[in-house]
């Protein structure tokens, strides 16, 4: 993948490379209008004058970038991200690559980080998470010609390769398992509703519940935090026809939901069965231990890193469906009491 150069700016602006150098370095020799046009083009294509020396050397940065559009506090409590990053590091370390991480507040800020990293030659590629429908980052990454791999989907990522797991199959397995136990009022506490994998899970949940004739299936959106998981659980449990089983989109919300149920005097699994998405040590440390949808998250991260390194090396990489998610039954699920 070709990084932007002074020659690229000159060609787009219709000026000489010397004029571009004058404009980028704040020197006289070009009009103010031309200077502004050159600076605008430089920003658009992700060029940074401060990294010109590194660009001339042709050396790789030996680093890949990861931006997370989540509250920074999530990183301290979310085992999924830690497992994913451990997988990245296992693969990158073997190639003497570093991982550059930055937390941002919006996708637009994420785009600015990509432009800066790529223009300043700080990274050789990026791993993109939390894909959305019509994701604004995808066309920018393609325009920058920045090597990238998307985790999540499947979705429309253009020429950028993506790696995903079968969320629809996993949610279907979980619902069918609960129905086999005798549950007919099943609810779900989801992650952020704007994320593509959340939408895929919601569609699959609604489809399998409809196919099984479950009239009381309901999804309450949350944000993967314990606080929102607790609020969503209370909302479900204080209403009429409360569910006898709840599926949570991550382990943190499931543990929070277990605490709320016990706080309200409900027995788990006697009064309420709980299933957590993405098994982790948290699921085994609570009482009762939580039934969970399990996958090897570290291996998932390692595979994504391998795909990105191949793209950086100029190899053609395609979309990949990662290892299968499977249900691990534990003490938080059982047949509902007959009087419920």
């Amino acid at each position: 993948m070709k990084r932007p150069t002074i020659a690229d700016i000159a060609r787009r602006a219709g000026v000489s490379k010397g004029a571009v150098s004058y404009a980028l370095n704040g020197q006289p020799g070009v009009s103010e209008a031309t200077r502004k046009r050159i600076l605008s083009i430089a920003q658009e294509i992700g060029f940074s004058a401060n990294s010109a020396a590194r660009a001339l050397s042709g050396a790789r940065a030996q680093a890949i970038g990861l931006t997370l559009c989540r509250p920074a506090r999530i990183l301290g409590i979310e085992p999924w991200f830690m497992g994913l990053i451990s997988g990245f590091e296992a693969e990158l370390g073997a190639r003497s690559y570093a991982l550059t991480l930055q937390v941002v507040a919006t996708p637009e800020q994420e785009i600015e980080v990509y432009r800066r990293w790529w223009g300043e030659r700080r990274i050789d590629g990026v791993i993109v998470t939390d894909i959305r429908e019509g994701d604004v980052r995808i066309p920018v990454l393609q325009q920058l010609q920045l090597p990238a791999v998307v985790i999540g989907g499947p979705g429309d990522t253009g020429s950028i390769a993506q790696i995903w797991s079968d969320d629809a199959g996993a949610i279907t397995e979980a619902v069918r398992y609960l129905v086999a136990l005798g549950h007919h009022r099943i609810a779900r506490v989801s992650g952020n509703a704007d994320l593509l994998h959340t939408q895929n899970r919601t569609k699959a949940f609604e489809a399998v519940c409809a196919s099984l004739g479950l009239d009381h299936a309901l999804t309450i959106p949350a944000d993967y935090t314990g606080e929102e998981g607790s609020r969503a659980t209370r909302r479900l449990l204080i209403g009429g026809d409360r569910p006898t089983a709840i599926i949570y989109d991550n382990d943190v919300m499931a543990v929070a939901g277990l605490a709320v149920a016990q706080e309200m005097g409900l027995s788990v699994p006697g009064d309420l069965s709980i299933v957590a998405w993405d098994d982790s040590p948290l699921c085994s440390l609570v009482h009762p231990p939580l039934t969970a949808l399990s996958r090897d998250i570290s291996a998932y991260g390692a595979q994504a890193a391998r795909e990105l390194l191949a793209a950086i090396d100029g190899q053609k990489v395609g979309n990949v469906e990662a290892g299968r998610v499977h249900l691990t039954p534990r003490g938080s699920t059982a047949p509902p009491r007959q009087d419920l």
Side-chain angles (χ1 to χ4, degrees):
M1 296 293 182
K2 181 176 177 292
R3 295 180 187 272
T5 65
I6 286 178
D8 295 327
I9 300 172
R11 184 167 53 255
R12 293 186 61 164
V15 299
S16 69
K17 289 188 286 186
V20 173
S21 180
Y22 291 148
L24 294 176
N25 291 291
Q27 296 176 346
V30 293
S31 69
E32 190 59 29
T34 299
R35 186 187 310 278
K36 288 181 178 179
R37 186 167 80 257
I38 289 170
L39 293 176
S40 176
I41 292 171
Q43 181 181 25
E44 180 184 339
I45 68 174
F47 180 86
S48 171
N50 294 334
S51 59
R54 192 186 301 172
L56 289 172
S57 75
R60 286 185 176 179
Q62 289 297 120
I64 69 166
L66 173 66
T67 60
L68 297 178
C69 191
R70 300 277 186 95
R73 59 190 173 86
I74 290 291
L75 294 180
I77 61 173
E78 175 60 91
W80 189 86
F81 276 121
M82 292 299 98
L84 196 68
I85 289 172
S86 73
F88 296 159
E89 290 289 2
E91 198 67 29
L92 297 176
R95 292 276 300 271
S96 299
Y97 262 79
L99 178 66
T100 301
L101 172 66
Q102 185 161 339
V103 177
V104 297
T106 66
E108 290 71 25
Q109 288 182 7
E110 195 168 343
I111 288 171
E112 290 308 309
V113 171
Y114 292 153
R115 291 187 187 280
R116 186 176 73 251
W117 278 350
W118 187 233
E120 294 177 358
R121 281 65 177 174
R122 294 187 183 184
I123 56 163
D124 298 315
V126 292
I127 291 178
V128 182
T129 64
D130 291 343
I131 194 73
R132 297 166 176 81
E133 192 76 38
D135 200 297
V136 297
R137 299 169 296 177
I138 299 303
V140 174
L141 290 169
Q142 291 176 313
Q143 178 195 43
L144 293 173
Q145 298 185 26
L146 172 55
V149 168
V150 169
I151 292 181
D156 183 9
T157 57
S159 61
I160 299 176
Q162 54 187 312
I163 177 171
W164 74 90
S165 58
D166 184 10
D167 284 354
I171 198 75
T172 299
E173 180 181 2
V175 171
R176 289 188 177 278
Y177 168 72
L178 292 170
V179 170
L181 289 176
H183 293 276
H184 298 287
R185 298 197 303 275
I186 302 172
R188 173 169 160 262
V189 176
S190 79
N192 302 68
D194 63 329
L195 300 181
L196 186 59
H197 71 263
T198 301
Q199 295 171 8
N200 290 341
R201 292 177 184 184
T202 299
K203 291 175 184 176
F205 177 70
E206 292 173 349
V208 68
C209 288
S211 71
L212 296 173
L214 304 180
D215 298 328
H216 296 280
L218 175 66
T219 294
I220 302 292
D223 66 356
Y224 295 112
T225 65
E227 294 84 357
E228 284 299 309
S230 296
R231 292 188 188 100
T233 303
R234 289 191 185 93
R235 177 178 167 186
L236 287 168
L237 297 183
I238 64 176
D241 288 330
R242 66 172 174 81
T244 61
I246 303 177
I247 301 171
Y248 293 84
D249 266 17
N250 78 343
D251 47 359
V252 174
M253 294 194 298
V255 170
L258 171 64
V260 168
Q262 293 172 338
E263 163 195 306
M264 296 178 66
L266 298 178
S267 169
V268 176
D271 298 315
L272 178 70
S273 284
I274 290 177
V275 177
W277 205 298
D278 283 329
D279 198 4
S280 76
L282 282 179
C283 295
S284 298
L285 292 174
V286 294
H287 181 76
L290 300 181
T291 294
L293 290 161
S294 305
R295 58 180 166 175
D296 191 336
I297 300 170
S298 180
Y300 196 47
Q303 187 169 5
R306 283 195 299 272
E307 295 294 315
L308 179 57
L309 291 172
I312 291 169
D313 287 338
Q315 301 176 32
K316 183 175 178 58
V317 296
N319 298 338
V320 177
E321 183 175 344
R324 180 178 176 274
V325 182
H326 64 275
L327 187 75
T328 302
R330 296 196 183 99
S332 67
T333 49
R337 285 188 3 221
Q338 294 303 310
D339 57 338
L340 292 178

